[in-house]
């Protein structure tokens, strides 16, 4: 049985509200669109198995700023959890709403494994319209087997013709996993530096284009 995206988002919102009420908020970023307020937050929880350790819940909340223009009722949507402290970012423009959050875990003997997830939302319904994953690995050379790395978002910006994600990286192999087929997937192999930038041209358009990647 297939479920619509709107139904799944609504179910996540309901379950998330029951599972993590009144948790302390340790990070927050916010923006507004059409009289509504949008917050991406990190809630501090505890994972008791196999022993008590930090667990971070990443959530998106909406509020009504102006009842004259905002038709979206207040919502809480849990975007995921992370064993490592997440990075979060949010931005809104005339074309819509975008969030980015980093999440991951620590792999024994290999180090941190952290991805950044980029989401385009319909701000009037909070239905997800596009998903991208920014990833970093550690390899001796391009095409070789290697281990995990970390890609942690620090900034998200909507420009007139593209969306830009910047962050810090731990690893030398930067690439993007998309929600559309891209047989000529681009990557950047850079031994030095700790930064990355990914530009998504025409991010809100119908014909999705491959991103531009920079490792520095």
């Amino acid at each position: 049985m297939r479920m619509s995206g709107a139904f799944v988002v609504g179910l996540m919102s309901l379950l998330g509200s029951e599972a993590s009420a009144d948790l302390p908020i340790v990070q927050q970023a916010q923006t507004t669109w059409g009289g509504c307020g949008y917050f991406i937050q990190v809630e501090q929880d505890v994972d008791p198995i196999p022993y008590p350790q930090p667990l971070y819940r990443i959530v998106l909340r909406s509020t009504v700023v102006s009842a004259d223009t905002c038709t979206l009722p207040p919502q809480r949507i849990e975007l995921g959890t992370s064993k490592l402290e997440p990075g979060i970012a949010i931005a809104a423009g005339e074309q819509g709403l975008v969030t980015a959050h980093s999440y991951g875990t620590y792999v024994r003997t290999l180090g941190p494994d952290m991805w950044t997830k980029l989401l385009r939302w319909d701000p009037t319904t909070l239905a997800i319209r596009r998903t991208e994953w920014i990833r970093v690995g550690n390899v001796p050379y391009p095409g070789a087997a290697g281990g995990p790395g970390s890609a942690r978002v620090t900034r998200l910006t909507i420009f007139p013709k593209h969306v830009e994600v910047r962050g810090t990286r731990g690893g030398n192999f930067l690439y993007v996993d998309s929600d559309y087929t891209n047989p000529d997937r681009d990557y950047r192999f850079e031994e030095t530096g700790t930064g990355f930038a990914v530009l998504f041209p025409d991010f809100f358009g119908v014909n999705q284009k491959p991103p531009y990647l920079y490792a520095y």
Side-chain angles (χ1 to χ4, degrees):
M1 179 178 67
R2 297 185 62 185
M3 295 186 292
S4 70
F7 179 82
V8 172
V9 167
L11 181 61
M12 290 175 63
S13 176
L14 176 62
L15 294 178
S17 297
E18 295 175 349
S20 55
D22 301 324
L23 291 174
I25 297 170
V26 295
Q27 287 189 58
Q28 177 174 289
Q30 65 188 80
T31 189
T32 58
W33 190 96
C36 300
Y38 302 91
F39 302 79
I40 188 169
Q41 300 171 329
V42 178
E43 299 175 344
Q44 176 75 71
D45 204 348
V46 176
D47 183 0
I49 300 173
Y51 54 85
Q53 54 189 309
L55 178 69
Y56 301 95
R57 298 185 181 276
I58 308 156
V59 301
L60 177 68
R61 295 180 185 268
S62 71
T63 60
V64 176
V65 176
S66 172
D68 294 334
T69 54
C70 180
T71 59
L72 182 70
Q75 296 189 39
R76 178 191 183 278
I77 302 170
E78 186 163 317
L79 305 181
T81 61
S82 180
K83 296 291 186 67
L84 302 175
E85 186 170 1
I88 56 172
I90 190 170
E94 293 182 0
Q95 296 166 296
L97 175 70
V98 185
T99 63
H101 66 275
S102 307
Y103 61 99
T105 189
Y106 191 87
V107 181
R108 191 192 309 186
T109 74
L110 296 177
D113 184 12
M114 175 171 275
W115 304 6
T116 287
K117 188 174 185 179
L118 183 68
L119 293 168
R120 174 195 166 193
W121 302 83
D122 181 337
T124 63
T125 64
L126 288 186
I128 296 173
R129 298 304 186 195
R130 181 174 177 177
T131 306
E132 305 279 355
W133 288 268
I134 301 171
R135 302 183 63 182
V136 171
N138 278 291
V139 299
Y141 57 87
S150 62
R152 189 175 191 274
V153 62
T154 57
R155 190 170 69 188
L156 171 64
T157 310
I158 298 176
F159 292 96
K161 294 186 178 181
H162 70 276
V163 167
E164 179 185 274
V165 182
R166 288 185 177 267
T168 58
R169 62 181 172 90
N172 57 14
F173 191 76
L174 171 69
Y175 61 101
V176 172
D177 277 346
S178 301
D179 63 355
Y180 63 94
T181 301
N182 179 14
D184 300 319
R185 184 177 65 185
D186 192 14
Y187 69 88
R188 286 292 178 268
F189 181 80
E190 178 58 63
E191 294 278 9
T192 61
T194 59
F196 75 83
V198 182
L199 279 61
F200 294 90
D202 195 22
F203 184 78
F204 298 94
V206 175
N207 298 318
Q208 298 178 8
K209 301 175 182 178
Y212 298 99
L213 283 65
Y214 303 90
Y216 54 90

